Structures are given as structure tokens and as C-alpha cells.
Amino acid sequence: MPLPKRNKDEDAKNFVNRCMSSDVMKEEYPSQQQRVAVCISQSRAASIAEGLASASEELIYENIKKEIKE
């Protein structure tokens, strides 16, 4: 099944939250650590493709990773 894609106007945190809760992602990646890694990777790829990659997004990703570990 196809992985979720980040919408053009969707911010990184909203996308990762939507991606993490996707039934497809839960089925293909039962581990939260796996899912967060794939979702962040998808989000980064979309940011780079749109020319929107930023340091603030990287901070968002780091915070999401910390939340998952806790």
C-alpha cells in the first residue's frame, strides 16, 4: 500500500501525526519507532522537494522522536 504523502500546505508536525495514526502505517510498521522514522523521512522528502526544508522542522522532528521514546 502507498505511504501517506505530505500535503502542500501541511506543516511537519500535522503530517507526522496523521502519518503515525494511518491504518496503513500501523499495519506495515507496527513499531512506533519504525513508523516515526518512516513518517519523518516522508516529511523531509516533501520539504526538500518543495524547497521548504528548515532548521525549525528539524527541531520538530527531534521533539517528536523524544515524545515517542517517553
Side-chain angles (χ1 to χ4, degrees):
M1 295 219 127
L3 298 177
K5 301 250 187 244
R6 186 169 161 185
N7 298 322
K8 214 170 200 173
D9 295 330
E10 190 171 27
D11 68 29
K13 185 167 183 157
N14 286 338
F15 170 74
V16 173
N17 287 335
R18 180 171 62 85
C19 181
M20 290 289 293
S21 64
S22 162
D23 290 336
V24 170
M25 292 298 291
K26 286 180 180 179
E27 185 176 322
E28 290 194 32
Y29 302 98
S31 162
Q32 272 194 325
Q33 284 81 14
Q34 287 179 314
R35 254 193 338 273
V36 78
V38 173
C39 291
I40 288 173
S41 178
Q42 288 288 100
S43 185
R44 277 188 181 127
S47 290
I48 291 168
E50 294 290 322
L52 302 173
S54 68
S56 63
E57 277 197 4
E58 290 302 317
L59 289 174
I60 290 168
Y61 300 141
E62 290 304 313
N63 286 335
I64 291 169
K65 288 180 201 176
K66 285 179 187 175
E67 289 173 13
I68 295 299
K69 285 182 181 178
E70 295 175 355

